[in-house]
């Protein structure tokens, strides 16, 4: 889903407090799409660029697509999520934590019990 939404091998996002997010211009061009019952993808209605993901079940935080920032995010990656559906040709070569889907929603292997 991330590859299709961003037209790339993966998307690079950061979570920020909603109160700290400030759109300095073009707010009237932001359009939302309900991508799931708890997610609203916010994008520019003029050019189609993905901007944010608004979580209706966690409204105090927003997910920002880092590629749209004017300034350097000053932060490197902390983890890889949805590696279970990553592009087959993309190799993850660092030692950051990897999650098949999303932290807290990983399948539990009960076969060892």
């Amino acid at each position: 889903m991330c590859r299709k939404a961003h037209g790339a091998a993966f998307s690079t996002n950061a979570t920020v407090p909603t109160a700290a997010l400030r759109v300095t211009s073009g707010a009237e061009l932001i359009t939302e799409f309900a991508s799931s019952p708890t997610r609203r993808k916010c994008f520019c209605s003029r050019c189609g660029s993905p901007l944010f993901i608004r979580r209706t079940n966690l409204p105090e935080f927003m997910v920002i697509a880092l590629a749209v920032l004017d300034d350097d995010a000053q932060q490197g990656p902390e983890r890889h999520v949805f590696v279970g559906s990553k592009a087959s040709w993309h190799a993850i070569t660092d030692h950051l934590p990897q999650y098949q889907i999303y932290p807290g929603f990983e399948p539990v292997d009960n076969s060892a019990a």
Side-chain angles (χ1 to χ4, degrees), residues 35-106:
S35 61
S36 73
T38 60
R39 301 283 191 271
R40 303 218 24 112
K41 300 230 175 143
C42 305
F43 61 95
C44 175
S45 64
R46 182 175 288 160
C47 71
S49 293
L51 303 171
F52 323 111
I53 299 171
R54 188 165 59 84
R55 300 172 175 172
T56 57
N57 62 333
L58 198 59
E60 61 271 20
F61 291 101
M62 294 281 280
V63 177
I64 298 178
L66 291 177
V68 302
L69 296 177
D70 287 336
D71 297 325
D72 184 4
Q74 304 282 318
Q75 179 179 336
E78 296 176 353
R79 62 188 179 195
H80 300 282
V81 297
F82 301 111
V83 297
S85 60
K86 74 172 187 61
S88 60
W89 47 264
H90 176 69
I92 297 173
T93 58
D94 59 39
H95 299 337
L96 295 174
Q98 296 184 26
Y99 299 91
Q100 293 300 305
I101 47 177
Y102 201 80
F105 295 93
E106 291 291 286

